[in-house]
Amino acid sequence: MENKKLLSLLLALCCAVVASAKNPKYVFYFISDGTGVNIVQGAEHYRADIKAFPVAEGVEMVNANAPFLFSQFPVVGMATTYSASSRVTDSAASGTALATGHKTDNGCISVLSDKKTPVYSIAKAAKQLGMAVGVATSVTVNHATPAAFYANAASRSSYHEIGHQLVDCDFVDFFGGSAIAKASSDKCDMEKSLYDVAVAKGFAVCRGAAEYDKKAASAKKMLLIQPEGQDDNSLSYVIDRKPGDMTIEEIVERELDFLVKKDNGKGFFLMNEIGGKVDWADHSKDAATAFAELEAVNRCVEIAYKFYQQHPDETLIVLTSDHDTGGPSLGNGKYEMNLKALQSQKISKDKYTDFLNDLRKKNDNNVTWEQVRQSLEELWGFWTVHKLTEKQEKLLKDTYEKAFNSAEGKKTEKSEYKSNDIMSSVACSVLSQIAMIQYAHGTHTGGYVPVYAVGVGADEFKSMNDNTTIPRKLASIIGAKM
C-alpha cells in the first residue's frame, strides 16, 4: 500500500515537472459573449454560402463549411454554463466562473453566493507570476464579463463602484473598451470623474487608437476607450461601422502591443471579450448582425494566431463563451436554409430603429408608407432582392400603421440592451423567415458553448468542460495558484 502511494506521488511529481517545463509564456484568453454552438454554425454556413472565407494566411482549410480560423484549431471542446442559482446563467455569474473558477448566483461579480466572500481571478494569478496583464472588451470596461477579472461586487449593476475598483486595480496593466459606465457619480456632484481618478492613479487615458499610438511608449498603465462623440455603451456593430469608429480589432492590436512592451521576460496574460456584441445582437434576435460580429471575433483570433505562429512553443490561445443567447435555430421546419438572403441587410435592427426615429424627427412625425417602404427596399432588400408573400407584405404595412399612425403612439419591443421600434423588429423577423433562421426568444439559454484552443497546453480543453474548470486549467498550465 505504501509503495502504491509512493509511486502515485512520484508520478504526480513527474507530471508536475513535465508540465512546468512546458508552461506557456503568452496566453490569449478570448470570450465571445452569448455565442452558443448554433450561432457559430450559422455564421459558418452563411460565410460558406456567400463564398467568403476569412482564414489566416498559411492555414489549411479542413472543412469547407467551417470558414473561421478558430474552428480549425486542433482542440475543440464544449462547456456547461449554469450558475449557482440557476440552470440559465447571466453574464455576471458566468463571467465569475470563467475568471475565478467559482460558481456564484446570477448578478454577482466575483463573490460567492453569500454576496460577500470575494474570489480572485486568473488575471490576478498571472500577475503574481510576473506576467503583464490586459483586460478588454467591445463594451464598457466595467460591464459584467470584464469586471469579473478585476472586481468584486454583490451586484453587476454597481457600475460606479466597479469602476472605482478598475482604477484602483494594481494587477492589470491594460484596460480597453468603449468607456467606463457611470464614470461620474450619481450621488455626489463633487466627486471626480473616474477618468480623472485614473490619470491620478497613473493611467494614460487614451481616447481612440490614434491617441494610444502617441502615448503608449511612455505609459505605465493604459486605459483605451472610444474617441469623444462615439457611443459610450459599446463599440459600433460591425454591420454599422463608419470610418473613424474604434474597432475591437484595434483594441486587441493595442492590447497585445502594450503587453509586449510591458513584458519583463515573464510573458503576458491577455483577456479580451472580443465578442461582447454577439450577445447584444442575439438578444435583439438579429442573425445578420450577429454573424458580422463573429467575423470580427475571427479577425481578432487571427491577430493572436499570427503571434502564435511566431512563438509556437510559448503561446496558448483559448476562445470560449459565457453562455448561449436566444436559442437560434437553423431552419424553420423545412429541410433547407437560405442564409445568403441575409446579405441584403445593410443595417442592424438597433440602428434601423435609430433611422426610423430620425425619419420621424425630419418629417415632424408625418412619415408616409412610401418613405418607410423605400427604406425597407434599400436597407433590407424587400421587393428589390426578395419577393415577399402577400402575408409578409401585409404584416409590414400593418406594422407601419401601428408604428406611425396609431393613436397609442410609437410602439417598441424591448430587448436586453435596446427598445426597438416595432417596424424594425418586424423587418428583421421577415428577413429571418426568408433566411430560414429563427430565435427561440431574446434571452439566455442553458445550452452548451464551444471551447477552442491551440498551443501549449491546449489538449487540456478537449472534450467536456464546465466553465469553472477553464480558468483552473489555465492556472495549472501557466503554473499559477488560484
Side-chain angles (χ1 to χ4, degrees):
M1 190 68 176
E2 290 299 320
N3 288 338
K4 285 184 178 181
K5 286 183 179 180
L6 181 60
L7 180 60
S8 296
L9 184 60
L10 287 171
L11 285 172
L13 182 60
C14 288
C15 289
V17 169
V18 170
S20 66
K22 296 182 179 180
N23 292 344
K25 186 176 179 182
Y26 309 111
V27 176
F28 294 84
Y29 189 16
F30 289 139
I31 298 172
S32 186
D33 201 318
T35 306
V37 292
N38 274 11
I39 200 66
V40 174
Q41 177 75 102
E44 290 182 327
H45 284 325
Y46 173 67
R47 298 304 290 162
D49 287 348
I50 65 174
K51 311 299 182 190
F53 300 94
V55 177
E57 183 179 352
V59 178
E60 183 179 353
M61 290 285 293
V62 297
N63 181 349
N65 279 323
F68 291 144
L69 169 61
F70 54 80
S71 291
Q72 311 305 307
F73 280 1
V75 172
V76 180
M78 304 286 284
T80 51
T81 65
Y82 60 90
S83 72
S85 60
S86 175
R87 293 295 182 189
V88 180
T89 190
D90 82 323
S91 290
S94 56
T96 297
L98 290 172
T100 72
H102 291 276
K103 296 284 187 185
T104 191
D105 289 2
N106 287 354
C108 294
I109 298 289
S110 294
V111 292
L112 297 182
S113 294
D114 61 9
K115 298 181 173 52
K116 295 178 181 179
T117 305
V119 286
Y120 298 101
S121 79
I122 179 65
K124 187 170 186 177
K127 175 57 74 173
Q128 290 171 344
L129 293 177
M131 302 173 84
V133 175
V135 172
T137 178
S138 56
V139 296
T140 54
V141 284
N142 50 344
H143 211 261
T145 302
F149 284 82
Y150 63 84
N152 311 99
S155 172
R156 61 180 289 178
S157 299
S158 304
Y159 293 114
H160 191 69
E161 174 193 333
I162 292 169
H164 265 291
Q165 293 183 62
L166 184 156
V167 298
D168 288 336
C169 182
D170 61 0
F171 60 86
V172 176
D173 302 288
F174 177 101
F175 284 106
S178 63
I180 298 177
K182 302 286 185 183
S184 297
S185 174
D186 293 330
K187 299 178 181 178
C188 178
D189 294 336
M190 300 298 292
E191 185 176 328
K192 288 184 177 180
S193 164
L194 289 176
Y195 297 122
D196 295 330
V197 177
V199 171
K201 296 280 186 178
F203 281 92
V205 178
C206 295
R207 292 187 174 273
E211 192 169 328
Y212 168 89
D213 294 341
K214 293 177 182 177
K215 295 182 178 181
S218 60
K220 294 181 179 179
K221 295 191 290 184
M222 175 61 60
L223 172 58
L224 174 60
I225 56 175
Q226 293 202 108
E228 294 277 6
Q230 295 188 14
D231 183 8
D232 281 351
N233 291 318
S234 67
L235 304 184
S236 297
Y237 280 126
V238 172
I239 199 172
D240 298 326
R241 278 182 187 171
K242 305 185 300 297
D245 287 350
M246 192 166 77
T247 70
I248 188 59
E249 297 96 320
E250 288 176 330
I251 292 179
V252 171
E253 288 172 343
R254 271 63 183 185
E255 186 179 9
L256 175 58
D257 175 76
F258 196 78
L259 296 185
V260 168
K261 285 183 171 70
K262 293 300 173 186
D263 179 12
N264 61 3
K266 299 294 181 67
F268 62 72
F269 177 87
L270 182 156
M271 193 296 291
N272 197 308
E273 188 188 20
I274 53 178
K277 292 201 71 175
V278 178
D279 175 65
W280 291 32
D282 285 339
H283 274 297
S284 289
K285 296 180 282 188
D286 186 349
T289 298
F291 290 172
E293 291 302 304
L294 277 164
E295 290 185 40
V297 168
N298 191 66
R299 288 192 290 270
C300 290
V301 172
E302 286 183 347
I303 293 167
Y305 192 79
K306 287 176 182 176
F307 184 92
Y308 161 77
Q309 288 177 312
Q310 296 168 357
H311 308 273
D313 298 324
E314 299 179 291
T315 305
L316 171 64
I317 305 172
V318 177
L319 167 65
T320 190
S321 179
D322 53 353
H323 53 75
D324 171 69
T325 299
S329 173
L330 305 178
N332 63 354
K334 298 180 180 180
Y335 291 103
E336 57 182 311
M337 284 190 294
N338 182 33
L339 294 178
K340 61 185 176 182
L342 297 175
Q343 287 183 96
S344 66
Q345 183 176 332
K346 307 302 182 188
I347 192 171
S348 71
K349 176 179 174 179
D350 292 359
K351 186 61 73 173
Y352 188 55
T353 288
D354 296 339
F355 171 88
L356 294 173
N357 289 336
D358 288 341
L359 198 62
R360 286 185 174 90
K361 291 178 183 177
K362 291 176 182 177
N363 292 275
D364 295 324
N365 287 320
N366 294 314
V367 179
T368 66
W369 166 241
E370 287 70 26
Q371 289 173 308
V372 173
R373 176 174 170 131
Q374 181 180 355
S375 71
L376 292 170
E377 291 176 355
E378 294 175 354
L379 301 175
W380 297 88
F382 298 149
W383 298 287
T384 54
V385 179
H386 307 299
K387 183 179 179 180
L388 301 182
T389 66
E390 289 184 9
K391 185 177 181 180
Q392 288 168 338
E393 186 162 352
K394 183 178 186 303
L395 175 60
L396 289 169
K397 184 68 182 295
D398 289 349
T399 302
Y400 158 76
E401 293 294 341
K402 291 178 182 177
F404 290 88
N405 296 325
S406 171
E408 300 174 23
K410 185 178 72 172
K411 294 185 177 181
T412 60
E413 177 188 85
K414 192 178 188 315
S415 68
E416 185 75 12
Y417 298 107
K418 180 80 171 182
S419 289
N420 275 304
D421 192 291
I422 57 170
M423 191 76 242
S424 183
S425 294
V426 170
C428 192
S429 177
V430 169
L431 188 59
S432 294
Q433 289 175 12
I434 295 168
M436 299 183 184
I437 184 172
Q438 58 188 344
Y439 285 84
H441 47 70
T443 57
H444 299 178
T445 81
Y448 291 133
V449 295
V451 182
Y452 309 93
V454 64
V456 182
D459 283 348
E460 292 297 318
F461 301 95
K462 283 181 179 178
S463 190
M464 182 58 67
N465 303 270
D466 181 65
N467 54 9
T468 57
T469 66
I470 295 174
R472 293 183 182 277
K473 287 179 180 180
L474 281 172
S476 177
I477 291 167
I478 66 176
K481 293 182 178 179
M482 285 185 66

